[in-house]
Amino acid sequence: MEYILEVFLDDYRLNKIKGSPVEQNIEAIFGGELKVLRVKVGEEVKNEILKAFETARIDSRACITDTPVAFKRALFEEIAKQKSLGEEVVKAVLAKIEEIKQLAAKESEYLPPPDIETD
Amino acid sequence: MSELYFKRPMPHGGKLVERVITDKKVAKKYLKACEKYCAVYDIKPTLHYKRGVPVRNVYREIMSVCYGFFSPVEGSMTSAELESVLTKRRLLSGWVFPYPILFDISKEDFKRLGVSEGDRLILRLKGKPFAMLDIEEIYEIDPEELANRTFGSPETNPEVVQEKFDDKHPGWVIYRSHQPIILAGKYTIINEPIFKPPFDRFWVPPRKCREIFEQRGWRTAIAHQTRNVPHVGHEFLMKNAAYTGDVEPCHGILVNAIIGVKRRGDYPDEAILEAHEAVHKAGYIKPERHMVTFTLWDMRYGNPLESLLHGIIRQNMGCTHHMFGRDHAAVGEYYDKFATQILWLKGIPSYGFDKPVNEVEGGLLIRPQNMREFWYCPVCKEMAYSENCNHSKQKEKLSGSLIRGLVAEGVQPPTVIMRPEVFKVVVKWWKKFGYPFVNEKYVQWKEEELEVDLPDLD
């Protein structure tokens, strides 16, 4: 079975991959309101991710979700670096797993809230 | 026409359990009489049997029993009642009930208390008198056996159980973490806790809820179970499920959130309640037709079993219907995704239901409204129901996880996924807790603070 890692793109990320081959793989979803890149992985890599991060899970769309922000950030950086959406980008991220876990541990205490007005 | 109208169902078991002494003078008398002869026990959270983090607080069960959410259950179960629940999912009276409800203490505490059958135990919460337990029976359990028998296994419940329950399942962990000595007997609250904001706005026990339905003229009301902040898929589930009713769509939608210890990655309870409120405050559903409430319960994530408890709670609150979706109250792959719907449509013999829940003796009167899925369809350009929309190849599924991913990265979800007013509520509590989701720090804080304070009885 194939599993999917989604990487959402804001303006910063869109700029970073502008002109690269992966730009052609950007998908617009939810009526064009959200832009996303999808990386497909097999059973083995999926299991490695679930093993590495206690919070990670598979949702009803076969997407691997609830991975730490540090992992997602590293995944995007690797995509931008390798200009690829192949499984090798995930493997490259998993090679730095200890470093990512350390960052993730800090993230489980605090995440900066977006600067929007609340009541 | 009136013969086509649905009647509000009676409480499960025939009458609402109400075991709360509201008159402080009477409560003080009870306490005074107890001073010489009753032992006192300070309620403490149940800690994870391996990791030591809070996974449950029995005070929530005492509240839900005494205010009638769990009617006809009146207290901590005797050994015979426990056996009946585990083997047949029935109380000794014959009424359906899915889960063990137990007051458990350690062997050390039992020795220290020196109580025996026939004694009354005063239960303190946050250092103040809270409730009494009239001990009918004292017995010992094996927590691992309790946890295994509560949920079953692929061998004993092959119709719906797919994986062996283990310490990754939060409900199994709760029962596995129970202390071995059970004090069985009826609870009575002698000092009504005061809910803190924002919980105070949403505390509507069954009797009060039925009164509100009457005042609002809600002949029919459909319950929506939640442990999440609502995304637009939830909103469409509520709106569309509510088209059922009798001769017209349901008059009311009762959102009933389960409030208690949550998993890491869930949203904080405060955000869940206010986010649902935001749906009607912002007019996506008229406030006259939508009410947000909660039940105190540390969720067991037992999919079909949990749906039975949900049916009981909401029938007790006066609902005529209950919506059930895919993966109801589920976690992981332990159950078939539609286990709850199987239970309510066909029954699950191995859990004691050879017929649907509404057709067995001692069963429920609340009607299930079993719904499939909602997704965003880029062809229809709307939130579509899976059994209507034939663009399944193009479908874009919403999931809580997808939204959590966006939120964690600080990306505001598009309006078509999450209403901006709902997102604002998420951010409001994010600012308060420094984190958008439940983390260990929140769980520790919440389990120290709880949802309530206790007034002085003096």
Side-chain angles (χ1 to χ4, degrees), chain B residues 226-254:
Chain B
T226 187
R227 60 179 174 97
N228 216 330
V229 303
H231 55 56
V232 177
H234 295 127
E235 187 189 310
F236 273 71
L237 168 67
M238 283 190 260
K239 285 172 170 170
N240 284 280
Y243 281 125
T244 191
D246 46 25
V247 297
E248 52 195 355
C250 278
H251 294 158
I253 298 168
L254 180 80

PDB file of all heavy atoms in Angstrom, chain B residues 226-254:
ATOM      1  N   THR B 226     -18.933  14.703  20.320  1.00  0.00           N
ATOM      2  CA  THR B 226     -17.685  15.327  19.892  1.00  0.00           C
ATOM      3  C   THR B 226     -16.604  15.248  20.955  1.00  0.00           C
ATOM      4  O   THR B 226     -16.873  15.201  22.150  1.00  0.00           O
ATOM      5  CB  THR B 226     -17.907  16.805  19.485  1.00  0.00           C
ATOM      6  OG1 THR B 226     -16.702  17.317  18.921  1.00  0.00           O
ATOM      7  CG2 THR B 226     -18.300  17.666  20.678  1.00  0.00           C
ATOM      8  N   ARG B 227     -15.390  15.199  20.461  1.00  0.00           N
ATOM      9  CA  ARG B 227     -14.197  15.357  21.307  1.00  0.00           C
ATOM     10  C   ARG B 227     -13.209  16.196  20.519  1.00  0.00           C
ATOM     11  O   ARG B 227     -12.009  16.061  20.653  1.00  0.00           O
ATOM     12  CB  ARG B 227     -13.604  14.000  21.683  1.00  0.00           C
ATOM     13  CG  ARG B 227     -13.188  13.177  20.483  1.00  0.00           C
ATOM     14  CD  ARG B 227     -12.597  11.852  20.864  1.00  0.00           C
ATOM     15  NE  ARG B 227     -12.339  11.043  19.703  1.00  0.00           N
ATOM     16  CZ  ARG B 227     -11.156  10.936  19.087  1.00  0.00           C
ATOM     17  NH1 ARG B 227     -10.119  11.602  19.529  1.00  0.00           N
ATOM     18  NH2 ARG B 227     -11.018  10.176  18.041  1.00  0.00           N
ATOM     19  N   ASN B 228     -13.749  17.039  19.663  1.00  0.00           N
ATOM     20  CA  ASN B 228     -12.918  17.751  18.711  1.00  0.00           C
ATOM     21  C   ASN B 228     -13.484  19.142  18.476  1.00  0.00           C
ATOM     22  O   ASN B 228     -14.674  19.358  18.664  1.00  0.00           O
ATOM     23  CB  ASN B 228     -12.979  16.987  17.388  1.00  0.00           C
ATOM     24  CG  ASN B 228     -11.654  17.029  16.675  1.00  0.00           C
ATOM     25  OD1 ASN B 228     -10.912  17.995  16.812  1.00  0.00           O
ATOM     26  ND2 ASN B 228     -11.361  15.998  15.908  1.00  0.00           N
ATOM     27  N   VAL B 229     -12.651  20.055  17.993  1.00  0.00           N
ATOM     28  CA  VAL B 229     -13.216  21.326  17.522  1.00  0.00           C
ATOM     29  C   VAL B 229     -13.832  21.036  16.149  1.00  0.00           C
ATOM     30  O   VAL B 229     -13.332  20.188  15.411  1.00  0.00           O
ATOM     31  CB  VAL B 229     -12.170  22.468  17.446  1.00  0.00           C
ATOM     32  CG1 VAL B 229     -11.506  22.706  18.771  1.00  0.00           C
ATOM     33  CG2 VAL B 229     -11.144  22.201  16.377  1.00  0.00           C
ATOM     34  N   PRO B 230     -14.923  21.709  15.826  1.00  0.00           N
ATOM     35  CA  PRO B 230     -15.630  21.328  14.596  1.00  0.00           C
ATOM     36  C   PRO B 230     -14.973  21.887  13.343  1.00  0.00           C
ATOM     37  O   PRO B 230     -14.680  23.076  13.261  1.00  0.00           O
ATOM     38  CB  PRO B 230     -17.012  21.950  14.796  1.00  0.00           C
ATOM     39  CG  PRO B 230     -16.767  23.127  15.682  1.00  0.00           C
ATOM     40  CD  PRO B 230     -15.614  22.784  16.566  1.00  0.00           C
ATOM     41  N   HIS B 231     -14.742  21.013  12.365  1.00  0.00           N
ATOM     42  CA  HIS B 231     -14.400  21.524  11.042  1.00  0.00           C
ATOM     43  C   HIS B 231     -15.686  21.540  10.217  1.00  0.00           C
ATOM     44  O   HIS B 231     -16.764  21.144  10.707  1.00  0.00           O
ATOM     45  CB  HIS B 231     -13.254  20.736  10.404  1.00  0.00           C
ATOM     46  CG  HIS B 231     -13.442  19.256  10.282  1.00  0.00           C
ATOM     47  ND1 HIS B 231     -14.513  18.680   9.633  1.00  0.00           N
ATOM     48  CD2 HIS B 231     -12.685  18.222  10.729  1.00  0.00           C
ATOM     49  CE1 HIS B 231     -14.392  17.370   9.663  1.00  0.00           C
ATOM     50  NE2 HIS B 231     -13.302  17.060  10.338  1.00  0.00           N
ATOM     51  N   VAL B 232     -15.591  21.986   8.991  1.00  0.00           N
ATOM     52  CA  VAL B 232     -16.811  22.171   8.208  1.00  0.00           C
ATOM     53  C   VAL B 232     -17.491  20.822   7.921  1.00  0.00           C
ATOM     54  O   VAL B 232     -18.713  20.742   7.812  1.00  0.00           O
ATOM     55  CB  VAL B 232     -16.504  22.973   6.918  1.00  0.00           C
ATOM     56  CG1 VAL B 232     -17.737  23.116   6.051  1.00  0.00           C
ATOM     57  CG2 VAL B 232     -15.977  24.358   7.296  1.00  0.00           C
ATOM     58  N   GLY B 233     -16.695  19.756   7.850  1.00  0.00           N
ATOM     59  CA  GLY B 233     -17.270  18.416   7.689  1.00  0.00           C
ATOM     60  C   GLY B 233     -18.190  18.064   8.856  1.00  0.00           C
ATOM     61  O   GLY B 233     -19.287  17.531   8.663  1.00  0.00           O
ATOM     62  N   HIS B 234     -17.760  18.389  10.078  1.00  0.00           N
ATOM     63  CA  HIS B 234     -18.622  18.143  11.252  1.00  0.00           C
ATOM     64  C   HIS B 234     -19.898  18.970  11.151  1.00  0.00           C
ATOM     65  O   HIS B 234     -20.987  18.499  11.483  1.00  0.00           O
ATOM     66  CB  HIS B 234     -17.894  18.525  12.547  1.00  0.00           C
ATOM     67  CG  HIS B 234     -16.689  17.686  12.854  1.00  0.00           C
ATOM     68  ND1 HIS B 234     -15.456  18.225  13.118  1.00  0.00           N
ATOM     69  CD2 HIS B 234     -16.530  16.347  12.929  1.00  0.00           C
ATOM     70  CE1 HIS B 234     -14.593  17.246  13.361  1.00  0.00           C
ATOM     71  NE2 HIS B 234     -15.217  16.099  13.244  1.00  0.00           N
ATOM     72  N   GLU B 235     -19.710  20.217  10.726  1.00  0.00           N
ATOM     73  CA  GLU B 235     -20.871  21.113  10.621  1.00  0.00           C
ATOM     74  C   GLU B 235     -21.891  20.528   9.629  1.00  0.00           C
ATOM     75  O   GLU B 235     -23.095  20.525   9.896  1.00  0.00           O
ATOM     76  CB  GLU B 235     -20.369  22.480  10.148  1.00  0.00           C
ATOM     77  CG  GLU B 235     -21.420  23.559  10.138  1.00  0.00           C
ATOM     78  CD  GLU B 235     -20.864  24.801   9.445  1.00  0.00           C
ATOM     79  OE1 GLU B 235     -19.764  25.248   9.793  1.00  0.00           O
ATOM     80  OE2 GLU B 235     -21.552  25.307   8.538  1.00  0.00           O
ATOM     81  N   PHE B 236     -21.395  20.014   8.501  1.00  0.00           N
ATOM     82  CA  PHE B 236     -22.305  19.434   7.518  1.00  0.00           C
ATOM     83  C   PHE B 236     -22.919  18.135   8.017  1.00  0.00           C
ATOM     84  O   PHE B 236     -24.066  17.833   7.708  1.00  0.00           O
ATOM     85  CB  PHE B 236     -21.598  19.259   6.164  1.00  0.00           C
ATOM     86  CG  PHE B 236     -21.689  20.515   5.350  1.00  0.00           C
ATOM     87  CD1 PHE B 236     -20.982  21.644   5.707  1.00  0.00           C
ATOM     88  CD2 PHE B 236     -22.537  20.594   4.260  1.00  0.00           C
ATOM     89  CE1 PHE B 236     -21.101  22.825   4.994  1.00  0.00           C
ATOM     90  CE2 PHE B 236     -22.669  21.761   3.528  1.00  0.00           C
ATOM     91  CZ  PHE B 236     -21.949  22.887   3.892  1.00  0.00           C
ATOM     92  N   LEU B 237     -22.153  17.377   8.774  1.00  0.00           N
ATOM     93  CA  LEU B 237     -22.718  16.172   9.388  1.00  0.00           C
ATOM     94  C   LEU B 237     -23.892  16.567  10.284  1.00  0.00           C
ATOM     95  O   LEU B 237     -24.982  16.004  10.198  1.00  0.00           O
ATOM     96  CB  LEU B 237     -21.646  15.440  10.201  1.00  0.00           C
ATOM     97  CG  LEU B 237     -22.144  14.322  11.131  1.00  0.00           C
ATOM     98  CD1 LEU B 237     -22.716  13.153  10.331  1.00  0.00           C
ATOM     99  CD2 LEU B 237     -21.026  13.804  12.027  1.00  0.00           C
ATOM    100  N   MET B 238     -23.674  17.582  11.133  1.00  0.00           N
ATOM    101  CA  MET B 238     -24.747  18.015  12.039  1.00  0.00           C
ATOM    102  C   MET B 238     -25.972  18.481  11.265  1.00  0.00           C
ATOM    103  O   MET B 238     -27.091  18.070  11.536  1.00  0.00           O
ATOM    104  CB  MET B 238     -24.247  19.170  12.914  1.00  0.00           C
ATOM    105  CG  MET B 238     -23.347  18.744  14.046  1.00  0.00           C
ATOM    106  SD  MET B 238     -23.040  20.103  15.188  1.00  0.00           S
ATOM    107  CE  MET B 238     -21.442  20.666  14.668  1.00  0.00           C
ATOM    108  N   LYS B 239     -25.730  19.342  10.290  1.00  0.00           N
ATOM    109  CA  LYS B 239     -26.853  19.921   9.552  1.00  0.00           C
ATOM    110  C   LYS B 239     -27.630  18.846   8.790  1.00  0.00           C
ATOM    111  O   LYS B 239     -28.853  18.858   8.770  1.00  0.00           O
ATOM    112  CB  LYS B 239     -26.334  20.953   8.540  1.00  0.00           C
ATOM    113  CG  LYS B 239     -25.895  22.256   9.168  1.00  0.00           C
ATOM    114  CD  LYS B 239     -25.217  23.108   8.107  1.00  0.00           C
ATOM    115  CE  LYS B 239     -24.958  24.516   8.595  1.00  0.00           C
ATOM    116  NZ  LYS B 239     -24.105  25.268   7.669  1.00  0.00           N
ATOM    117  N   ASN B 240     -26.913  17.947   8.149  1.00  0.00           N
ATOM    118  CA  ASN B 240     -27.581  16.958   7.307  1.00  0.00           C
ATOM    119  C   ASN B 240     -28.206  15.834   8.120  1.00  0.00           C
ATOM    120  O   ASN B 240     -29.307  15.384   7.795  1.00  0.00           O
ATOM    121  CB  ASN B 240     -26.601  16.401   6.270  1.00  0.00           C
ATOM    122  CG  ASN B 240     -26.358  17.396   5.154  1.00  0.00           C
ATOM    123  OD1 ASN B 240     -27.158  17.519   4.238  1.00  0.00           O
ATOM    124  ND2 ASN B 240     -25.284  18.161   5.249  1.00  0.00           N
ATOM    125  N   ALA B 241     -27.519  15.400   9.157  1.00  0.00           N
ATOM    126  CA  ALA B 241     -28.092  14.346  10.001  1.00  0.00           C
ATOM    127  C   ALA B 241     -29.385  14.850  10.628  1.00  0.00           C
ATOM    128  O   ALA B 241     -30.333  14.090  10.840  1.00  0.00           O
ATOM    129  CB  ALA B 241     -27.104  13.916  11.074  1.00  0.00           C
ATOM    130  N   ALA B 242     -29.439  16.144  10.894  1.00  0.00           N
ATOM    131  CA  ALA B 242     -30.613  16.729  11.551  1.00  0.00           C
ATOM    132  C   ALA B 242     -31.818  16.801  10.615  1.00  0.00           C
ATOM    133  O   ALA B 242     -32.917  17.117  11.064  1.00  0.00           O
ATOM    134  CB  ALA B 242     -30.276  18.113  12.099  1.00  0.00           C
ATOM    135  N   TYR B 243     -31.633  16.498   9.332  1.00  0.00           N
ATOM    136  CA  TYR B 243     -32.805  16.460   8.454  1.00  0.00           C
ATOM    137  C   TYR B 243     -33.736  15.300   8.792  1.00  0.00           C
ATOM    138  O   TYR B 243     -34.888  15.292   8.403  1.00  0.00           O
ATOM    139  CB  TYR B 243     -32.380  16.377   6.977  1.00  0.00           C
ATOM    140  CG  TYR B 243     -31.949  17.710   6.426  1.00  0.00           C
ATOM    141  CD1 TYR B 243     -30.704  17.874   5.834  1.00  0.00           C
ATOM    142  CD2 TYR B 243     -32.789  18.822   6.510  1.00  0.00           C
ATOM    143  CE1 TYR B 243     -30.299  19.103   5.340  1.00  0.00           C
ATOM    144  CE2 TYR B 243     -32.383  20.054   6.015  1.00  0.00           C
ATOM    145  CZ  TYR B 243     -31.142  20.188   5.431  1.00  0.00           C
ATOM    146  OH  TYR B 243     -30.738  21.401   4.955  1.00  0.00           O
ATOM    147  N   THR B 244     -33.187  14.315   9.496  1.00  0.00           N
ATOM    148  CA  THR B 244     -34.099  13.282   9.976  1.00  0.00           C
ATOM    149  C   THR B 244     -34.966  13.912  11.064  1.00  0.00           C
ATOM    150  O   THR B 244     -34.745  15.024  11.483  1.00  0.00           O
ATOM    151  CB  THR B 244     -33.331  12.060  10.510  1.00  0.00           C
ATOM    152  OG1 THR B 244     -34.233  10.999  10.714  1.00  0.00           O
ATOM    153  CG2 THR B 244     -32.628  12.355  11.821  1.00  0.00           C
ATOM    154  N   GLY B 245     -35.941  13.209  11.520  1.00  0.00           N
ATOM    155  CA  GLY B 245     -36.836  13.755  12.547  1.00  0.00           C
ATOM    156  C   GLY B 245     -38.085  12.921  12.516  1.00  0.00           C
ATOM    157  O   GLY B 245     -38.002  11.709  12.338  1.00  0.00           O
ATOM    158  N   ASP B 246     -39.259  13.560  12.671  1.00  0.00           N
ATOM    159  CA  ASP B 246     -40.482  12.762  12.481  1.00  0.00           C
ATOM    160  C   ASP B 246     -41.195  13.266  11.225  1.00  0.00           C
ATOM    161  O   ASP B 246     -40.921  12.794  10.129  1.00  0.00           O
ATOM    162  CB  ASP B 246     -41.353  12.747  13.739  1.00  0.00           C
ATOM    163  CG  ASP B 246     -41.544  14.116  14.392  1.00  0.00           C
ATOM    164  OD1 ASP B 246     -41.430  15.138  13.685  1.00  0.00           O
ATOM    165  OD2 ASP B 246     -41.834  14.174  15.599  1.00  0.00           O
ATOM    166  N   VAL B 247     -42.056  14.285  11.396  1.00  0.00           N
ATOM    167  CA  VAL B 247     -42.706  14.811  10.195  1.00  0.00           C
ATOM    168  C   VAL B 247     -41.962  16.043   9.669  1.00  0.00           C
ATOM    169  O   VAL B 247     -42.315  16.610   8.641  1.00  0.00           O
ATOM    170  CB  VAL B 247     -44.181  15.176  10.475  1.00  0.00           C
ATOM    171  CG1 VAL B 247     -44.965  13.936  10.848  1.00  0.00           C
ATOM    172  CG2 VAL B 247     -44.275  16.236  11.583  1.00  0.00           C
ATOM    173  N   GLU B 248     -40.975  16.463  10.401  1.00  0.00           N
ATOM    174  CA  GLU B 248     -40.113  17.566   9.972  1.00  0.00           C
ATOM    175  C   GLU B 248     -38.722  17.317  10.538  1.00  0.00           C
ATOM    176  O   GLU B 248     -38.560  16.484  11.415  1.00  0.00           O
ATOM    177  CB  GLU B 248     -40.681  18.913  10.453  1.00  0.00           C
ATOM    178  CG  GLU B 248     -40.981  18.945  11.931  1.00  0.00           C
ATOM    179  CD  GLU B 248     -41.866  20.101  12.354  1.00  0.00           C
ATOM    180  OE1 GLU B 248     -42.178  20.961  11.500  1.00  0.00           O
ATOM    181  OE2 GLU B 248     -42.233  20.156  13.532  1.00  0.00           O
ATOM    182  N   PRO B 249     -37.703  18.017  10.023  1.00  0.00           N
ATOM    183  CA  PRO B 249     -36.355  17.776  10.552  1.00  0.00           C
ATOM    184  C   PRO B 249     -36.292  17.983  12.065  1.00  0.00           C
ATOM    185  O   PRO B 249     -37.153  18.661  12.642  1.00  0.00           O
ATOM    186  CB  PRO B 249     -35.517  18.837   9.823  1.00  0.00           C
ATOM    187  CG  PRO B 249     -36.259  19.124   8.576  1.00  0.00           C
ATOM    188  CD  PRO B 249     -37.716  19.002   8.934  1.00  0.00           C
ATOM    189  N   CYS B 250     -35.283  17.407  12.664  1.00  0.00           N
ATOM    190  CA  CYS B 250     -35.139  17.555  14.115  1.00  0.00           C
ATOM    191  C   CYS B 250     -35.172  19.028  14.508  1.00  0.00           C
ATOM    192  O   CYS B 250     -34.566  19.868  13.847  1.00  0.00           O
ATOM    193  CB  CYS B 250     -33.816  16.935  14.588  1.00  0.00           C
ATOM    194  SG  CYS B 250     -33.905  15.168  14.799  1.00  0.00           S
ATOM    195  N   HIS B 251     -35.886  19.300  15.581  1.00  0.00           N
ATOM    196  CA  HIS B 251     -35.983  20.688  16.043  1.00  0.00           C
ATOM    197  C   HIS B 251     -34.664  21.195  16.611  1.00  0.00           C
ATOM    198  O   HIS B 251     -34.375  22.378  16.559  1.00  0.00           O
ATOM    199  CB  HIS B 251     -37.064  20.797  17.124  1.00  0.00           C
ATOM    200  CG  HIS B 251     -38.441  20.535  16.599  1.00  0.00           C
ATOM    201  ND1 HIS B 251     -39.488  20.139  17.407  1.00  0.00           N
ATOM    202  CD2 HIS B 251     -38.937  20.601  15.353  1.00  0.00           C
ATOM    203  CE1 HIS B 251     -40.577  19.979  16.669  1.00  0.00           C
ATOM    204  NE2 HIS B 251     -40.266  20.250  15.415  1.00  0.00           N
ATOM    205  N   GLY B 252     -33.909  20.281  17.196  1.00  0.00           N
ATOM    206  CA  GLY B 252     -32.679  20.723  17.846  1.00  0.00           C
ATOM    207  C   GLY B 252     -31.497  19.818  17.556  1.00  0.00           C
ATOM    208  O   GLY B 252     -31.666  18.633  17.257  1.00  0.00           O
ATOM    209  N   ILE B 253     -30.319  20.421  17.637  1.00  0.00           N
ATOM    210  CA  ILE B 253     -29.065  19.662  17.555  1.00  0.00           C
ATOM    211  C   ILE B 253     -28.367  19.845  18.891  1.00  0.00           C
ATOM    212  O   ILE B 253     -28.042  20.973  19.269  1.00  0.00           O
ATOM    213  CB  ILE B 253     -28.170  20.190  16.414  1.00  0.00           C
ATOM    214  CG1 ILE B 253     -28.872  20.038  15.049  1.00  0.00           C
ATOM    215  CG2 ILE B 253     -26.816  19.478  16.419  1.00  0.00           C
ATOM    216  CD1 ILE B 253     -28.187  20.789  13.915  1.00  0.00           C
ATOM    217  N   LEU B 254     -28.198  18.738  19.605  1.00  0.00           N
ATOM    218  CA  LEU B 254     -27.527  18.811  20.899  1.00  0.00           C
ATOM    219  C   LEU B 254     -26.082  18.347  20.723  1.00  0.00           C
ATOM    220  O   LEU B 254     -25.833  17.169  20.491  1.00  0.00           O
ATOM    221  CB  LEU B 254     -28.214  17.922  21.935  1.00  0.00           C
ATOM    222  CG  LEU B 254     -27.546  17.981  23.308  1.00  0.00           C
ATOM    223  CD1 LEU B 254     -27.967  19.226  24.071  1.00  0.00           C
ATOM    224  CD2 LEU B 254     -27.851  16.745  24.136  1.00  0.00           C
TER     225      LEU B 254
END
